[in-house]
């Protein structure tokens, strides 16, 4: 009788664990579905929202409200950049600037009082002359972007799949949510026309960082003042990959 009671109790416990596991699985699927929808919405808004087809087209209509910041580091064979810095995709400039001590950097920043999103030129059409010439002199490049999502997450792409996988692994090891976008998919950063792939070798890494994740980096996201520990932890993860993978033979 006692054995039956014990077996019954174990059975009930196993059933309860199975129910909890199924519940977590369903919640995870819902979260993934919601995030997928947010990514698709962000892509549609980008396509719909691009007012200008080229840098020259933008210059005809925007005489001011943007800045180009260039920092060349002697001996650097890597260019870290964002074509959508400042208030175009907030938080991307600060991440790029965190690499200035070791690598060359470039920023195209929106500085208008409002409607900075109007300055967004998609990466496959971004042809600002300084960057077009500059990136050709570097054998490797890494671009920093932002996409709209309430989930703290990073989509990692680019043509160098080995480094992209390493970035995902390192970010996860440090407590961040990240995944690699498969080659050819939207936001994968593998299109040959992408400015990030116009470097001397065509080897690149692209980071698409969600709004929620970028917000989590700062005490005040609207001004990007007060960088939190998460900001340093995130940047250090990328730097670690660059040391381990980019510099390895």
């Amino acid at each position: 009788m006692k054995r039956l009671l014990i077996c019954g109790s174990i059975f009930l416990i196993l059933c309860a664990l199975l129910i909890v596991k199924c519940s977590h699985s369903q919640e995870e699927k819902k979260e993934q579905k919601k995030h997928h929808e947010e990514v698709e919405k962000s892509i549609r808004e980008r396509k719909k929202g691009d007012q200008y087809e080229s840098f020259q087209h933008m210059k005809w209509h925007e005489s001011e409200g943007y800045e180009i910041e260039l920092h060349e580091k002697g001996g650097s064979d890597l260019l870290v950049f964002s074509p959508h810095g400042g208030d175009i995709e907030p938080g991307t400039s600060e991440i790029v600037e965190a690499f200035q001590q070791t690598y060359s950097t470039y920023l195209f920043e929106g500085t208008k009082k409002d409607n900075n999103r109007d300055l967004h030129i998609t990466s496959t059409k971004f042809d600002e002359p300084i960057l077009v010439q500059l990136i050709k002199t570097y054998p490797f490049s890494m671009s920093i972007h932002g996409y709209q999502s309430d989930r703290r997450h990073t989509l990692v792409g680019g043509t160098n799949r080995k480094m992209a996988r390493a970035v995902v692994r390192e970010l996860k090891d440090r407590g961040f949510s990240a995944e690699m976008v498969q080659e050819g998919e939207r936001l994968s950063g593998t299109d040959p026309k992408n400015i990030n792939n116009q470097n001397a070798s065509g080897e690149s890494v692209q980071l698409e960082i969600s709004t929620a994740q970028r917000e989590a980096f700062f005490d005040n996201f609207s001004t990007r003042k007060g960088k939190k520990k998460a900001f340093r932890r995130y940047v250090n993860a990328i730097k670690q990959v660059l040391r381990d993978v980019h510099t390895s033979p």
Side-chain angles (χ1 to χ4, degrees):
M1 184 70 177
K2 186 179 291 185
R3 184 178 295 176
L4 287 173
L5 288 172
I6 292 173
C7 290
S9 298
I10 293 173
F11 177 74
L12 289 173
I13 291 171
L14 290 174
C15 287
L17 290 172
L18 184 60
I19 291 171
V20 170
K21 185 177 180 181
C22 289
S23 177
H24 285 172
S25 179
Q26 289 175 352
E27 287 299 319
E28 193 172 307
K29 286 181 179 178
K30 287 181 181 178
E31 183 67 26
Q32 289 176 346
K33 182 180 178 182
K34 179 185 176 184
H35 181 250
H36 177 74
E37 290 172 349
E38 288 176 336
V39 171
E40 290 297 314
K41 181 181 178 182
S42 180
I43 292 170
R44 288 195 302 270
E45 287 179 350
R46 281 187 183 186
K47 288 184 176 180
K48 182 181 177 181
D50 278 356
Q51 293 198 22
Y52 307 117
E53 292 292 309
S54 67
F55 179 73
Q56 188 61 47
H57 185 202
M58 188 203 73
K59 279 186 67 177
W60 289 339
H61 299 273
E62 307 278 353
S63 59
E64 55 185 22
Y66 62 86
E67 293 179 357
I68 294 171
E69 181 183 314
L70 173 62
H71 172 84
E72 289 201 82
K73 181 73 175 179
S76 173
D77 62 352
L78 167 66
L79 178 67
V80 183
F81 74 98
S82 176
H84 308 137
D87 283 325
I88 302 173
E89 290 172 355
T92 56
S93 286
E94 288 72 20
I95 294 172
V96 170
E97 289 170 346
F99 291 87
Q100 284 183 354
Q101 289 188 344
T102 310
Y103 305 106
S104 295
T105 61
Y106 166 97
L107 286 168
F108 179 83
E109 300 183 293
T111 58
K112 297 166 66 175
K113 291 183 179 179
D114 51 28
N115 298 322
N116 280 276
R117 193 70 180 73
D118 292 349
L119 302 176
H120 185 281
I121 302 172
T122 192
S123 294
T124 54
K125 295 181 178 180
F126 192 86
D127 57 354
E128 190 282 309
I130 294 175
L131 180 58
V132 168
Q133 294 303 315
L134 178 69
I135 201 165
K136 293 176 183 177
T137 66
Y138 288 87
F140 196 86
S141 55
M142 179 172 69
S143 60
I144 309 297
H145 301 265
Y147 73 99
Q148 293 182 0
S149 176
D150 293 331
R151 178 188 177 191
R152 294 182 183 181
H153 194 62
T154 300
L155 299 170
V156 185
T159 58
N160 190 313
R161 311 309 280 171
K162 177 184 177 182
M163 186 171 289
R165 282 191 292 270
V167 169
V168 171
R169 185 165 55 248
E170 191 66 30
L171 286 175
K172 286 184 174 180
D173 287 347
R174 302 202 185 203
F176 296 100
S177 174
E179 67 178 295
M180 190 166 80
V181 186
Q182 295 305 309
E183 188 172 355
E185 290 185 6
R186 293 174 177 178
L187 301 185
S188 67
T190 55
D191 191 322
K193 295 179 182 178
N194 190 317
I195 186 64
N196 197 26
N197 300 324
Q198 299 297 312
N199 58 44
S201 69
E203 293 288 310
S204 67
V205 166
Q206 175 175 288
L207 302 184
E208 290 276 358
I209 309 170
S210 72
T211 309
Q213 183 60 79
R214 284 176 282 130
E215 287 176 341
F217 290 151
F218 306 95
D219 292 327
N220 187 326
F221 186 56
S222 61
T223 61
R224 267 87 71 198
K225 299 297 183 183
K227 296 181 180 70
K228 295 183 178 180
K229 289 181 179 179
F231 178 91
R232 292 185 289 275
R233 197 167 79 249
Y234 189 98
V235 168
N236 286 338
I238 309 303
K239 288 181 177 180
Q240 186 64 52
V241 174
L242 292 176
R243 286 193 295 268
D244 293 346
V245 181
H246 178 59
T247 59
S248 63

